[in-house]
Amino acid sequence: MTEDILDTQSYVNNSCLQLLLQELVPTSIRVSHRLHDSTSTTGASLANSTEPTQADTQLSSVRNDLPGTVNVLESSLLNNDEVTLRIETYGYSLGLKLAEVLLYKNTTSGTKLVDILDIMKFVCRDVWKCLYNKQMDNLRTNHRGTFVLVDNNYKLIQKLNSPKGIHDTLAKSRVYLWLPCGIIRGILSSFGIESNVTAEITSFPAVTFNIHTGINN
Amino acid sequence: MSETGQPATPVATQSPPATHSIPSTTEKSQGSSVNSQVSQTSAKSKNSPKSQTIQFVSFISRNDKPLYIQSFGLVSSTSSESDSSSSPSFDAENANKFLKYNFLSHMALDIFSSPASLSMREQQSHSAEAASGVLLLFIQDEIAVYGYETNNGLKVVVGISNSPSISESNSHRNIKNLFLDIQKCYLRTICNPFNNLGSDVDINENETILQTPTFDTNIKRIVNRWNEL
């Protein structure tokens, strides 16, 4: 049988991941805007979907949101619940599938994951290594279901920089962090564990993930 | 027919027709009985009695919910064309077999969580044996039932007829590869982006996610390939 991709591929393609992230956030914002506008006012005159998009086509109702620009991130809906929920849900479905595939690869090497601490170690070591080619820097727990994962140089946002200064960078990077939150929640959910994952930027580009589960150990 | 062919014939007719040594998915014409004799002789001459066929494959979720079951080697009608007016006895036999495999899968669940098998799996994980994770759960009605549990809690149960007379590491490795192939097939279906996996909206969707014809054909292909090994 020909080489199976499940047996050969071991890392997530970094370029694909970056491209996905680049498209994910603006698309979520634009979708929210579209939904917002169609319910409130009587349909803003956005570009007709059958016309080809040109360089000066407004993509959404955000000011100056033209193709190839990042002005969409100036939107007031940037940290809207709906947008972040959508991004997090993408991460969630990604996490579910990623967990299954990575566990298949670990059948020969790793031991079984029995308790929640093993699962968190699996996230810190294998998942992070597969996604970002480095492991999580710190894992803390209070042994009562809360875990704190620290990545001192988070790859997805370390290259982000806004010309308006660090505050603007922080505000805009926060949105992107919902994707890995969803991934972690998806991985935990594939083990049958309900959880609540949030992330915060402690000092750019260090990121802290707070995970609350209902497990008491 | 050679000498070794003659004694093989009465054995073949006594066992239920579904457990012929060749995968009985093809139609049963006159030629197939000749084929079975030939394959018996060739098997004996090669001295590799791989006369096992897979009877069923089933998946059970981590919450002990049945996800999927497919059975093989069901009796087909004697006419070569698909005959909708097959005799009722064949349908009843197929239904009985299917029910039996369902029961066997349920029995497998008990063994999975029994302390005896847990300790056995513990031992297996310590010894670096190639067949770790795959357990012969039990043997019932000439069907050996093997089980395999992934790290995620997904349980795969496979029933193989004509339990092996030898249990060398060779056949163990083959069974382990079989389970890995089945798991890969499952992974491909899971990773399908058109599946609504794990959405909170529709919990029921998770249970039917494997009930697609593509999955059926893929599993069937794996089974046929393993049967021919």
Side-chain angles (χ1 to χ4, degrees):
Chain A
M1 189 171 165
T2 57
E3 275 297 307
D4 204 330
I5 194 171
L6 282 171
D7 288 323
T8 52
Q9 195 91 304
S10 58
Y11 289 104
V12 168
N13 191 330
N14 188 34
S15 325
C16 287
L17 190 57
Q18 297 281 6
L19 287 173
L20 169 70
L21 206 63
Q22 235 173 308
E23 287 302 314
L24 194 60
V25 174
T27 307
S28 299
I29 297 176
R30 288 191 192 118
V31 168
S32 282
H33 269 284
R34 189 68 82 100
L35 293 173
H36 216 239
D37 293 336
S38 62
T39 53
S40 58
T41 62
T42 56
S45 60
L46 293 172
N48 204 348
S49 56
T50 56
E51 288 173 4
T53 308
Q54 296 172 333
D56 56 356
T57 315
Q58 279 279 102
L59 290 172
S60 75
S61 62
V62 180
R63 202 165 66 90
N64 283 336
D65 183 20
L66 304 170
T69 63
V70 292
N71 292 327
V72 66
L73 293 176
E74 305 289 338
S75 153
S76 57
L77 289 182
L78 184 66
N79 278 310
N80 192 9
D81 280 344
E82 201 187 318
V83 171
T84 55
L85 193 64
R86 200 171 290 126
I87 298 175
E88 206 251 358
T89 312
Y90 284 130
Y92 179 70
S93 65
L94 241 186
L96 282 177
K97 300 168 188 178
L98 198 62
E100 300 264 358
V101 174
L102 278 182
L103 285 174
Y104 164 76
K105 291 191 173 307
N106 281 358
T107 40
T108 48
S109 57
T111 54
K112 278 192 92 101
L113 309 173
V114 281
D115 63 357
I116 179 101
L117 196 55
D118 283 342
I119 299 175
M120 296 314 297
K121 285 193 214 162
F122 165 70
V123 169
C124 291
R125 279 195 279 243
D126 300 304
V127 178
W128 237 243
K129 196 144 176 56
C130 171
L131 283 173
Y132 310 117
N133 205 12
K134 71 184 274 276
Q135 296 183 3
M136 194 77 85
D137 292 311
N138 207 343
L139 163 65
R140 294 197 293 273
T141 173
N142 72 349
H143 290 288
R144 262 191 294 248
T146 306
F147 296 87
V148 177
L149 274 57
V150 179
D151 188 334
N152 286 329
N153 196 359
Y154 189 50
K155 239 189 174 185
L156 283 191
I157 59 168
Q158 67 181 172
K159 303 264 166 51
L160 295 182
N161 196 1
S162 163
K164 294 195 197 143
I166 185 70
H167 283 294
D168 196 41
T169 309
L170 285 179
K172 290 183 180 159
S173 318
R174 227 166 261 140
V175 190
Y176 289 84
L177 291 179
W178 284 103
L179 183 71
C181 288
I183 292 182
I184 295 177
R185 187 168 76 92
I187 293 179
L188 287 177
S189 173
S190 82
F191 286 98
I193 300 173
E194 298 282 329
S195 60
N196 185 15
V197 185
T198 55
E200 57 192 7
I201 309 180
T202 44
S203 62
F204 195 89
V207 175
T208 307
F209 294 96
N210 296 310
I211 304 174
H212 297 277
T213 63
I215 309 269
N216 258 334
N217 63 339
Chain B
M1 278 300 121
S2 61
E3 281 290 322
T4 52
Q6 292 300 332
T9 330
V11 174
T13 51
Q14 274 169 21
S15 61
T19 57
H20 266 157
S21 58
I22 45 169
S24 52
T25 50
T26 58
E27 70 256 20
K28 295 252 193 310
S29 55
Q30 276 292 342
S32 70
S33 55
V34 175
N35 278 343
S36 73
Q37 290 177 14
V38 169
S39 67
Q40 291 263 23
T41 60
S42 64
K44 286 207 166 111
S45 61
K46 275 193 219 154
N47 200 17
S48 57
K50 196 65 187 279
S51 56
Q52 311 166 28
T53 49
I54 296 182
Q55 296 297 102
F56 71 94
V57 174
S58 65
F59 287 81
I60 303 166
S61 78
R62 66 178 6 250
N63 298 332
D64 292 341
K65 280 203 202 109
L67 293 175
Y68 178 82
I69 179 169
Q70 186 180 161
S71 40
F72 307 91
L74 294 179
V75 181
S76 55
S77 53
T78 49
S79 65
S80 55
E81 297 307 309
S82 64
D83 188 4
S84 58
S85 62
S86 56
S87 65
S89 66
F90 279 133
D91 283 342
E93 184 160 353
N94 283 346
N96 277 337
K97 277 201 155 45
F98 193 62
L99 211 54
K100 179 168 84 167
Y101 300 150
N102 265 304
F103 274 126
L104 290 181
S105 304
H106 280 94
M107 283 165 68
L109 278 180
D110 288 333
I111 315 266
F112 257 121
S113 51
S114 78
S117 84
L118 278 179
S119 61
M120 209 180 353
R121 267 182 286 167
E122 198 80 8
Q123 287 173 358
Q124 274 183 349
S125 65
H126 287 315
S127 75
E129 194 183 283
S132 66
V134 179
L135 281 185
L136 171 59
L137 297 176
F138 57 89
I139 305 182
Q140 169 102 2
D141 285 348
E142 298 173 353
I143 298 187
V145 178
Y146 291 87
Y148 174 69
E149 184 170 3
T150 68
N151 254 322
N152 245 338
L154 175 80
K155 308 190 219 328
V156 185
V157 180
V158 171
I160 303 183
S161 71
N162 299 347
S163 50
S165 50
I166 36 129
S167 59
E168 40 180 61
S169 60
N170 205 6
S171 73
H172 262 257
R173 215 173 298 130
N174 281 339
I175 295 189
K176 172 82 170 165
N177 284 339
L178 168 73
F179 276 101
L180 285 183
D181 281 341
I182 294 182
Q183 192 180 2
K184 271 193 277 199
C185 185
Y186 168 78
L187 283 180
R188 276 209 195 85
T189 309
I190 290 286
C191 290
N192 187 349
F194 293 132
N195 275 336
N196 221 356
L197 183 68
S199 73
D200 304 316
V201 177
D202 191 1
I203 304 290
N204 289 332
E205 181 129 3
N206 286 351
E207 299 174 13
T208 57
I209 207 168
L210 297 176
Q211 321 274 13
T212 61
T214 314
F215 193 60
D216 288 342
T217 39
N218 283 341
I219 294 275
K220 197 167 214 165
R221 198 183 324 133
I222 295 177
V223 165
N224 287 340
R225 195 159 16 102
W226 193 84
N227 280 340
E228 284 156 20
L229 274 180

